[in-house]
Amino acid sequence: MRIREGFPKEAVPGAFVGLAAGLVAGGLAALVGQPLGWAFVTTVALGLPLGAFGGVFSLLVAAGRLPSGRFAPVALYWLAAFPLARLIHEVTVGLVLTGRLRTPPDLAGFLAYQGIVSLGWAIGFLWLHERIAVRLRARATAAR
């Protein structure tokens, strides 16, 4: 039932989606001309929080705490988690690139905007999460 000791298999779909989003963000940063080191920082600083929150989401679905495949619970979850992940990303990138720990100048505005953007993220997340989860379930059933 576990991929490795301590890492529940049920967390894989959400963690994968979050990590993939970080990889895409880093790739886009490199594509628009940011130095590769900066793009790598973006990949890690955004991918890890989104992967962690995505994995927690998958665990909540597996535990029956959140229904599978419904948009409203996903949207509410990411309404809280996405702005927090973006804040972690923003602070981490600023710390690594400037050496100073700083938050966005208008923190409330930043979080409100990220909350709005989170709805789009929730749609994509749900779509990918469900497809990956279905494939993993089919693979597990075939293995039995």
Side-chain angles (χ1 to χ4, degrees), residues 23-82:
L23 188 62
V24 168
L28 289 173
L31 185 68
V32 298
Q34 294 297 318
L36 290 180
W38 292 16
F40 177 74
V41 170
T42 290
T43 299
V44 173
L46 186 59
L48 290 181
L50 287 177
F53 286 125
V56 168
F57 175 84
S58 291
L59 292 174
L60 290 170
V61 169
R65 302 276 186 193
L66 289 175
S68 178
R70 295 195 183 150
F71 179 68
V74 175
L76 289 174
Y77 178 83
W78 286 108
L79 183 61
F82 187 81

Side-chain angles (χ1 to χ4, degrees), residues 13-142:
F16 177 80
V17 174
L19 292 170
L23 188 62
V24 168
L28 289 173
L31 185 68
V32 298
Q34 294 297 318
L36 290 180
W38 292 16
F40 177 74
V41 170
T42 290
T43 299
V44 173
L46 186 59
L48 290 181
L50 287 177
F53 286 125
V56 168
F57 175 84
S58 291
L59 292 174
L60 290 170
V61 169
R65 302 276 186 193
L66 289 175
S68 178
R70 295 195 183 150
F71 179 68
V74 175
L76 289 174
Y77 178 83
W78 286 108
L79 183 61
F82 187 81
L84 185 55
R86 276 288 293 123
L87 183 61
I88 292 168
H89 168 245
E90 191 77 15
V91 169
T92 303
V93 168
L95 180 63
V96 170
L97 298 183
T98 68
R100 288 184 274 150
L101 188 63
R102 60 179 178 81
T103 59
D106 178 15
L107 184 59
F110 175 85
L111 293 174
Y113 178 74
Q114 298 308 318
I116 294 167
V117 171
S118 74
L119 296 177
W121 164 255
I123 292 168
F125 177 86
L126 178 62
W127 184 77
L128 284 172
H129 182 270
E130 290 302 306
R131 268 123 196 97
I132 293 168
V134 165
R135 285 191 175 209
L136 288 176
R137 276 187 237 124
R139 190 177 274 175
T141 303

Side-chain angles (χ1 to χ4, degrees), residues 2-18:
R2 296 195 182 270
I3 292 176
R4 288 191 178 143
E5 192 59 37
F7 189 82
K9 179 170 109 175
E10 295 83 5
V12 169
F16 177 80
V17 174

